Amino acid sequence: MKQSLRRLERRWRKTHSESDRTRARAQRRAYQVAMATAKRAFFTASIASAENSSRRLFQVVRNLSEPPEPPGPGRDPKISCNAFAKFFADKVAQIQKEVDSTVGAGPGWESARVLSGPVTWDQFQSVTSEDVDRLLGQVKPTTCLLDPCPSWLIKASREGLGDGLCGVVNASLYEGAFPDPLKEAVIKPLLKKTSLDPANLANYRPVSNLPFLGKVIERVVARQLQARLEDADHLDPFQSGFRPHHGTETALVALVDDLRRARDKGESCFLVLLDLSAAFDTIDHNILLDRLEGLGAGGTVIRWFRSFLLGRVQKVVVGDECSDPWALTCGVPQGSVLSPMLFNIYMKPLGEIIRGFGLGVHQYADDTQLYLSFKSEPVKAVKVLCECLEAVGGWMAANRLRLNPDKTEVLFLGDRGRAGVGDSLVLNGVTVPLKDQVRSLGVILDSQLSMEAQVNSVSRAAVYQLHLVRRLRPYLPADCLARVVHALVISRLDYCNALYVGLPLKVTRKLQLIQNAAARLVTGSGRWDHITPVLRDLHWLPVRFRAQFKVLVLTFKALNGLGPVYLKERLHPHRSARTLRSSAEGLLAVPSLREVRLQGTRQRAFSVVAPALWNALPADVKAINNYFTFKSHLKAALFREVFNV
């Protein structure tokens, strides 16, 4: 009897404990599912909030994957707002002091002023409520701390506010005055690169956060100013910064094309990258107004621009702290709509001075790349280069800009020994060493233009970002994961990939392996799965064909008025001595072997590769006039060529 009771007791305890364990396991699984769902919702919301900005998206992904470590000794990012304000103000004051001591010391100083031409633009065109409504639908809802209400609320209520905003805009344009309450700017220090020391104030850029209504007025003026610049053809043709259909990629394609064509002719080249200190913050208002008067501005228009530039104040905000406001006596605010356009107008004479010495030049805002090709007499070439840089330095000083000779970089393309060039140059009394590679507009150029250093740099950055994204893969839905991979990995492979056309397979193979890894990450494919079906299902072209796609897109834009003039000038229609059936196919002239010396198995210069690729396209694709239709048919044609579908 006692044994039976003991057996029953043991059986009851065993059953009870198993049920408890089963219940505990079920609760644990439910908790894990709930936590995974919450994490997925949190990560998805965090990424969706920054999906329109690759920089913010990268920072969000990095913070989610690797939470920031607590600040250590010497790297405390907590800097007071007054310290930032003092640093930014002292930096501009120091530059002005140094520039004032050198004005008139060199050639080029007389070009600071321009003679005012006849007044041909004395008033703005008024806008309608429909124009303001359309404009509010296009602007980004960026809210400033000085705004009385969020900008997204203004956009959502623009149907009822259209008449009132239209009245404010037209009053500003008619009276030639920019409202004083909209001249105050909130400065948010932005770290130039995430790898820089946040404790060093010199690593921050003062980006202005301006009132939303002021940006609306600026955008109205910017459209009329852009139309005026296009009608007058006023801007420098080789200035690619902040202009429609221009960009860093078009500037680099043209620059590298010139260097490669010069090397094909057996010439050596000097490439000089100029560095300016706080260029936007040191613009002289009087000189800028003279530039606008030279454009034909007068009457209400010049009064409005004078009101827009003068009487500005700004203050630094860090966290919940705000610095004391200080007045601006020079410069244009970074973050403004009009500032980039005004800066291009201000810098227009610089390109004319450089080309006057026989040098080539390409500019993107304040980044200036000038180059000189020569076949013999390197001493004479160095002398011309020094004279040009001396004139550039004089013009900079006369226009209250400071050229930083310590950060000026020089790349020599060619054989130094054969050309008789040493390891350094003395430019304006400063010894500048010749470097084996330089970074221009985010692309590393080496002395042989092999692009190996650039491919290695892109590979390292892409692998790091793939590592970050892989950590978040369990918590991201498929569409969100694909969006992140495109923004952080594929976009890096595609940046300036027109320069990768014709590169050896051993160079581009690194980029192809990264694309393969990204495709496997998005689709969840195994490491040993064949990659061709994966790329075909994703509709991704391999790296080599993506580079050809970019070249053909740039060619289409240049031929149809959607690209810069300096690219269109490199493409010429094919002309035959007699009428042929191919005369109506829109062929381009390919440079002959007399013009291009063969180097390797393939040509790499844009002016050589682009016509050859364009001529190989089907006639129906070349006949398309619409940009988006052309891209669609072009990708379909390349897709059929790659995957045989």
Side-chain angles (χ1 to χ4, degrees):
M1 186 67 178
K2 291 182 179 179
Q3 292 179 354
S4 300
L5 290 174
R6 290 192 183 115
R7 282 196 298 269
L8 289 173
E9 184 179 0
R10 285 197 298 269
R11 189 179 304 167
W12 180 84
R13 289 179 178 177
K14 183 178 181 181
T15 304
H16 184 69
S17 59
E18 288 180 355
S19 62
D20 289 344
R21 285 195 293 269
T22 303
R23 190 181 303 109
R25 284 195 294 269
Q27 292 176 351
R28 189 180 302 110
R29 283 195 298 270
Y31 174 76
Q32 291 174 351
V33 171
M35 288 299 297
T37 304
K39 284 185 177 181
R40 173 172 296 192
F42 170 71
F43 290 155
T44 303
S46 300
I47 292 174
S49 64
E51 63 180 353
N52 294 328
S53 172
S54 297
R55 182 188 183 97
R56 287 187 57 203
L57 185 59
F58 169 71
Q59 193 65 39
V60 168
V61 172
R62 183 178 181 183
N63 291 339
L64 293 177
S65 304
E66 297 179 353
E69 300 178 358
R75 291 184 60 86
D76 185 8
K78 184 64 175 177
I79 305 175
S80 66
C81 55
N82 288 320
F84 274 114
K86 184 177 184 304
F87 174 80
F88 293 144
D90 292 347
K91 181 179 180 180
V92 174
Q94 180 64 25
I95 292 175
Q96 288 182 317
K97 182 179 179 181
E98 294 178 1
V99 168
D100 290 340
S101 62
T102 58
V103 171
W109 62 270
E110 66 278 359
S111 61
R113 301 284 179 178
V114 294
L115 297 177
S116 300
V119 177
T120 57
W121 186 30
D122 58 354
Q123 61 182 357
F124 293 105
Q125 296 179 358
S126 60
V127 295
T128 62
S129 301
E130 290 77 12
D131 296 333
V132 175
D133 181 76
R134 192 182 309 112
L135 187 142
L136 288 177
Q138 297 174 354
V139 297
K140 295 181 179 180
T142 54
T143 302
C144 176
L145 295 177
L146 304 175
D147 288 333
C149 65
S151 55
W152 62 263
L153 183 58
I154 299 178
K155 287 175 62 70
S157 308
R158 63 179 184 268
E159 294 182 358
L161 299 176
D163 294 337
L165 292 177
C166 179
V168 173
V169 173
N170 285 329
S172 175
L173 301 182
Y174 178 77
E175 297 177 3
F178 191 76
D180 289 338
L182 304 180
K183 295 182 182 181
E184 186 176 1
V186 174
I187 300 296
K188 291 187 175 181
L190 179 64
L191 196 63
K192 297 178 181 179
K193 295 181 180 179
T194 56
S195 58
L196 297 177
D197 184 5
N200 188 357
L201 296 177
N203 294 333
Y204 289 87
R205 180 180 290 109
V207 177
S208 300
N209 192 5
L210 301 168
F212 181 74
L213 179 57
K215 287 188 175 182
V216 172
I217 301 176
E218 287 186 54
R219 193 170 292 272
V220 172
V221 175
R223 289 188 175 183
Q224 300 188 28
L225 177 59
Q226 182 65 39
R228 176 66 185 175
L229 293 175
E230 292 177 357
D231 292 340
D233 194 18
H234 183 77
L235 293 180
D236 190 283
F238 297 96
Q239 170 62 266
S240 302
F242 315 111
R243 298 179 63 183
H245 311 311
H246 294 66
T248 57
E249 190 161 19
T250 59
L252 284 168
V253 166
L255 172 64
V256 175
D257 180 66
D258 289 340
L259 296 177
R260 282 174 171 167
R261 292 298 299 272
R263 295 291 296 129
D264 284 341
K265 297 177 184 177
E267 299 177 350
S268 301
C269 305
F270 284 110
L271 173 63
V272 183
L273 307 182
L274 302 180
D275 180 80
L276 297 179
S277 299
F280 275 71
D281 300 327
T282 56
I283 288 180
D284 187 271
H285 292 162
N286 293 326
I287 297 178
L288 177 57
L289 292 173
D290 287 343
R291 298 271 198 275
L292 291 171
E293 291 179 357
L295 182 61
T300 305
V301 172
I302 199 66
R303 287 202 308 271
W304 189 94
F305 279 108
R306 182 177 288 106
S307 174
F308 173 79
L309 293 172
L310 304 180
R312 285 192 166 271
V313 295
Q314 63 184 18
K315 55 186 178 181
V316 176
V317 174
V318 177
D320 297 332
E321 299 180 357
C322 180
S323 70
D324 298 330
W326 76 94
L328 297 180
T329 59
C330 62
V332 290
Q334 299 186 46
S336 167
V337 177
L338 276 173
S339 293
M341 302 176 66
L342 296 176
F343 184 83
N344 286 346
I345 297 173
Y346 195 84
M347 296 289 291
K348 181 184 182 297
L350 179 60
E352 300 173 357
I353 292 176
I354 296 175
R355 287 189 293 272
F357 287 87
L359 277 73
V361 59
H362 282 279
Q363 296 175 269
Y364 187 87
D366 60 331
D367 292 321
T368 304
Q369 298 88 18
L370 56 90
Y371 51 95
L372 175 64
S373 304
F374 63 95
K375 202 163 190 176
S376 59
E377 300 181 357
V379 177
K380 182 179 178 181
V382 173
K383 181 180 178 181
V384 172
L385 185 62
C386 291
E387 292 176 353
C388 177
L389 291 180
E390 185 180 1
V392 168
W395 183 89
M396 292 284 185
N399 287 268
R400 302 301 191 272
L401 300 173
R402 187 178 73 172
L403 181 63
N404 194 342
D406 297 333
K407 292 186 178 181
T408 298
E409 297 181 323
V410 181
L411 175 68
F412 180 76
L413 296 92
D415 189 347
R416 296 183 187 177
R418 182 176 301 179
V421 178
D423 295 333
S424 61
L425 295 177
V426 180
L427 302 177
N428 296 337
V430 179
T431 302
V432 180
L434 300 182
K435 294 190 174 183
D436 296 329
Q437 61 185 35
V438 295
R439 183 181 293 273
S440 175
L441 300 177
V443 172
I444 300 177
L445 303 177
D446 56 82
S447 58
Q448 302 300 324
L449 295 178
S450 65
M451 305 304 294
E452 291 187 12
Q454 168 65 11
V455 169
N456 292 336
S457 176
V458 171
S459 301
R460 286 192 300 268
V463 168
Y464 171 68
Q465 292 168 23
L466 274 176
H467 174 70
L468 294 181
V469 178
R470 188 174 287 112
R471 293 186 177 187
L472 299 179
R473 187 177 183 274
Y475 310 107
L476 296 179
D479 58 339
C480 193
L481 177 64
R483 190 182 305 120
V484 171
V485 171
H486 270 285
L488 301 185
V489 181
I490 303 302
S491 63
R492 289 185 176 268
L493 302 184
D494 289 343
Y495 177 66
C496 286
N497 59 345
L499 304 178
Y500 302 156
V501 172
L503 294 181
L505 180 61
K506 66 176 183 179
V507 179
T508 58
R509 184 174 180 272
K510 297 180 180 179
L511 301 179
Q512 186 60 57
L513 291 176
I514 293 174
Q515 187 192 40
N516 296 347
R520 291 190 171 97
L521 178 63
V522 171
T523 60
S525 304
R527 181 178 181 182
W528 306 110
D529 293 343
H530 202 286
I531 195 61
T532 300
V534 177
L535 295 178
R536 183 179 63 244
D537 294 340
L538 290 173
H539 294 275
W540 287 6
L541 291 171
V543 169
R544 181 166 65 92
F545 290 91
R546 295 177 82 93
Q548 296 180 11
F549 177 83
K550 180 65 69 65
V551 170
L552 290 171
V553 168
L554 291 176
T555 304
F556 175 86
K557 288 184 174 181
L559 295 176
N560 291 272
L562 301 177
V565 176
Y566 55 73
L567 285 186
K568 185 177 182 179
E569 293 175 347
R570 302 166 194 273
L571 306 173
H572 307 283
H574 175 71
R575 302 187 183 278
S576 178
R578 54 194 178 91
T579 304
L580 302 174
R581 286 182 296 177
S582 60
S583 301
E585 294 183 1
L587 300 180
L588 297 178
V590 181
S592 63
L593 297 181
R594 293 182 179 180
E595 302 176 48
V596 181
R597 187 180 64 180
L598 292 177
Q599 291 187 350
T601 58
R602 298 181 182 180
Q603 294 300 313
R604 303 175 187 174
F606 174 81
S607 57
V608 180
V609 174
L613 293 176
W614 181 264
N615 294 342
L617 286 178
D620 58 336
V621 177
K622 288 185 291 188
I624 298 175
N625 295 325
N626 183 268
Y627 171 64
F628 297 102
T629 305
F630 173 80
K631 286 183 63 177
S632 177
H633 284 71
L634 174 61
K635 185 173 182 180
L638 294 177
F639 201 81
R640 289 193 297 267
E641 180 182 351
V642 175
F643 300 106
N644 297 321
V645 295

